[in-house]
Amino acid sequence: MDGRPEHRGAAESFYSRSEASKYDTNARMATTQRHLADRALQLLELPSGQPSLLLDVGCGTGYSGRPLERAGHTWIGTDVSEHMLRAARTARPQSSHVVCSDIGCGLGFRKGLFDGAVSISAVQWLCHATRAGHVPEKRVAKFFNGLFAVLAG
């Protein structure tokens, strides 16, 4: 087994209080996450000068939200780890629009709500059965069907 966290167990177990704290205070992680969010935003090719509502799938501690806000967008984040979200709410109070949920069970937002979505490092967790009853193919399909539904036309 390699050192990848998703090979060791469920994300909500891996990202404990101490792991979330380490993640949130890691300068290299912050820089990497923000650079990836900047690139994801470029790839979305959103209309220039028009604020959008974006979904940050697996938002963790909220690092990727800053580039979204800097570009003039509003975002809602979802993550399976309440510890990561607690760090987001504490360190970045503007990140209080975060929701704890398992993306492999669906997204739970109104159809067509979001203008776009980013996900920096969350979807790979769906590709591994980390709990009894998890079927990776079904969880991936549930996520992408749900994502398609919540994105605007």
Side-chain angles (χ1 to χ4, degrees):
M1 188 179 296
D2 66 30
R4 296 189 57 84
E6 63 269 19
H7 293 171
R8 291 189 236 153
E12 60 271 29
S13 299
F14 178 79
Y15 288 110
S16 62
R17 180 179 297 138
S18 65
E19 193 63 34
S21 178
K22 285 191 281 185
Y23 186 97
D24 194 47
T25 57
N26 184 316
R28 185 177 71 79
M29 185 64 69
T31 300
T32 300
Q33 292 289 321
R34 288 186 185 123
H35 284 287
L36 290 170
D38 281 331
R39 182 63 180 133
L41 197 51
Q42 290 171 354
L43 292 170
L44 283 177
E45 296 181 350
L46 296 167
S48 181
Q50 181 178 333
S52 297
L53 178 60
L54 304 175
L55 175 62
D56 185 351
V57 178
C59 67
T61 63
Y63 282 143
S64 52
R66 185 168 293 152
L68 305 180
E69 292 166 359
R70 197 173 50 241
H73 305 297
T74 302
W75 63 279
I76 296 174
T78 183
D79 200 281
V80 72
S81 170
E82 186 58 53
H83 295 294
M84 295 291 270
L85 296 175
R86 195 169 297 127
R89 291 179 190 115
T90 301
R92 286 164 279 293
Q94 76 280 8
S95 302
S96 60
H97 39 284
V98 294
V99 178
C100 189
S101 68
D102 179 348
I103 62 172
C105 295
L107 292 173
F109 294 103
R110 188 181 77 229
K111 289 185 179 206
L113 178 64
F114 296 99
D115 301 305
V118 299
S119 182
I120 305 308
S121 59
V123 178
Q124 76 275 10
W125 288 93
L126 298 176
C127 299
H128 305 280
T130 56
R131 289 187 164 191
H134 277 186
V135 178
E137 294 82 3
K138 288 182 180 180
R139 290 174 54 75
V140 168
K142 182 85 171 178
F143 166 67
F144 281 107
N145 286 331
L147 181 62
F148 183 75
V150 301
L151 293 175

